[in-house]
Amino acid sequence: NAGVMQNPRHLVRRRGQEARLRCSPMKGHSHVYWYRQLPEEGLKFMVYLQKENIIDESGMPKERFSAEFPKEGPSILRIQQVVRGDSAAYFCASQSPAGTGGGEQYFGPGTRLTVT
Amino acid sequence: AQSVTQPDIHITVSEGASLELRCNYSYGATPYLFWYVQSPGQGLQLLLKYFSGDTLVQGIKGFEAEFKRSQSSFNLRKPSVHWSDAAEYFCAVGSGTYKYIFGTGTRLKVLA
């Protein structure tokens, strides 16, 4: 059973460009979380999605950031018009549906975004 | 407000020595508690978790943690550290299994 997959692992964007980060959850997992880790800091919750639904986006900046988890395909975190402050590691975690499995979140290897 | 505090930013121990990493939390209800380890450039790996029941939790790689409600703590321990344990360790608290709040991490250095 493959783990959580994220791509690309490293992404370099110039200021003003768009960044698209992809996350494929573990097989059978229908819940996806995105976290951001700034240098020398812990992970900060951004958004929680289930298939075709955004459950909680309270940690996501109001502008330029969006996330989706379509019925088919990976979850996408999209950052428009990137700025240097967006440089960080972005982690995706997946979780089995409530009442199944151990309930914990399994993390992907992350995408390290660098904005030049 | 919910929060997690890891008071030690850096810890250095000699190989073979015992280890304790501190974690304190602030949470209104009974928390779900986790310890994760992150090697440089890697993702997070779950070491152990506490949901309920026995307050002493055994994890992978010889780690254990003890939940102490009276002290709002969930400290991670290992009796004998190996050089491969050098990494960053994160404590997290969750409402059920949803929306974890992470501490800022403790970076462990192991001396040969």
Side-chain angles (χ1 to χ4, degrees):
Chain A
N1 186 9
V4 179
M5 299 176 69
Q6 289 188 250
N7 66 81
R9 294 290 305 275
H10 299 274
L11 182 61
V12 179
R13 285 287 178 265
R14 291 198 180 96
R15 278 180 298 168
Q17 290 185 320
E18 178 180 287
R20 277 181 178 246
L21 288 62
R22 294 174 185 78
C23 169
S24 296
M26 288 177 68
K27 186 176 180 181
H29 286 193
S30 56
H31 299 193
V32 164
Y33 301 78
W34 285 94
Y35 294 84
R36 177 164 64 177
Q37 184 180 33
L38 293 170
E40 307 300 320
E41 293 189 14
L43 278 72
K44 295 283 196 293
F45 167 81
M46 298 181 75
V47 62
Y48 165 37
L49 309 108
Q50 295 177 15
K51 285 281 187 182
E52 299 185 281
N53 283 305
I54 298 175
I55 306 302
D56 183 341
E57 56 182 350
S58 59
M60 202 135 78
K62 295 285 187 282
E63 298 179 352
R64 303 188 298 108
F65 284 72
S66 62
E68 63 176 10
F69 189 16
K71 187 176 180 181
E72 302 290 338
S75 175
I76 306 286
L77 178 67
R78 183 180 175 208
I79 311 172
Q80 295 178 290
Q81 300 174 328
V82 296
V83 301
R84 288 222 172 96
D86 297 332
S87 295
Y90 292 83
F91 289 94
C92 167
S94 79
Q95 184 183 58
S96 56
T100 66
E104 63 263 31
Q105 297 177 22
Y106 293 83
F107 284 80
T111 293
R112 278 150 184 86
L113 172 65
T114 302
V115 179
T116 62
Chain B
Q2 302 158 5
S3 65
V4 176
T5 301
Q6 293 181 248
D8 304 305
I9 299 173
H10 297 277
I11 281 187
T12 300
V13 299
S14 298
E15 191 169 19
S18 64
L19 173 70
E20 182 169 28
L21 303 182
R22 295 184 289 165
C23 172
N24 293 95
Y25 64 90
S26 173
Y27 203 79
T30 300
Y32 285 32
L33 295 158
F34 308 85
W35 274 100
Y36 284 86
V37 60
Q38 183 182 32
S39 297
Q42 301 298 312
L44 280 72
Q45 180 182 22
L46 179 68
L47 286 176
L48 46 79
K49 62 187 180 186
Y50 172 78
F51 287 175
S52 64
D54 192 348
T55 56
L56 184 61
V57 181
Q58 300 298 320
I60 62 170
K61 304 185 179 186
F63 285 92
E64 66 177 27
E66 187 170 11
F67 171 55
K68 293 186 177 179
R69 185 189 301 275
S70 61
Q71 298 177 20
S72 296
S73 70
F74 188 57
N75 294 348
L76 181 71
R77 300 193 294 251
K78 186 169 185 178
S80 177
V81 169
H82 187 262
W83 64 266
S84 60
D85 293 323
E88 189 151 22
Y89 292 79
F90 291 96
C91 179
V93 63
S95 168
T97 53
Y98 159 58
K99 197 174 175 179
Y100 294 5
I101 297 169
F102 282 84
T104 50
T106 297
R107 190 157 291 171
L108 174 65
K109 183 177 179 179
V110 180
L111 300 177

